[in-house]
């Protein structure tokens, strides 16, 4: 792997862990270092950091809060 690519990955803990869990990416980057952008995209999907995934998580949290508020309201009755 090119030294610049390796340093970039070492600086980003999330990418480092992603490569450790998906070693095929080490091979991809060794053969073609310009795929670093694809690596970042795949890592975002893996860790749930894309906008649709974050929105879905926020909606789940809102639904959980509503459920808890309904439960608390029923206890007061």
């Amino acid at each position: 792997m090119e030294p610049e690519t390796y340093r970039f990955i070492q600086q980003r803990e999330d990418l480092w862990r992603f490569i450790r869990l998906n070693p095929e990416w080490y091979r991809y980057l060794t053969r073609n270092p310009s795929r670093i952008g694809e690596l970042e995209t795949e890592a975002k999907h893996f860790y749930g950091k894309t906008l649709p995934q974050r929105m879905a998580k926020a909606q789940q949290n809102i639904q959980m809060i509503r459920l808890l508020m309904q439960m608390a309201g029923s206890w007061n009755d």
Side-chain angles (χ1 to χ4, degrees):
M1 185 181 297
E2 289 186 359
E4 294 174 17
T5 306
Y6 189 73
R7 272 188 244 116
F8 178 76
I9 292 169
Q10 280 186 323
Q11 291 173 355
R12 299 267 314 268
E13 182 66 30
D14 58 334
L15 296 180
W16 184 257
R17 279 187 276 134
F18 180 74
I19 290 176
R20 297 283 294 184
L21 296 173
N22 300 286
E24 67 271 7
W25 274 101
Y26 185 83
R27 290 190 303 271
Y28 296 154
L29 293 174
T30 299
R31 294 178 188 146
N32 188 1
S34 64
R35 291 185 73 180
I36 196 80
E38 290 178 52
L39 171 71
E40 289 181 294
T41 304
E42 287 295 320
K44 282 183 181 181
H45 283 289
F46 181 77
Y47 289 117
K49 292 184 177 180
T50 62
L51 185 60
Q53 290 171 322
R54 291 186 354 226
M55 292 294 292
K57 187 175 180 181
Q59 287 176 346
Q60 287 176 350
N61 288 340
I62 290 170
Q63 287 175 351
M64 179 65 74
I65 291 170
R66 285 182 182 160
L67 177 66
L68 291 173
M69 289 175 64
Q70 288 175 354
M71 287 175 53
S74 68
W75 289 339
N76 290 337
D77 291 340

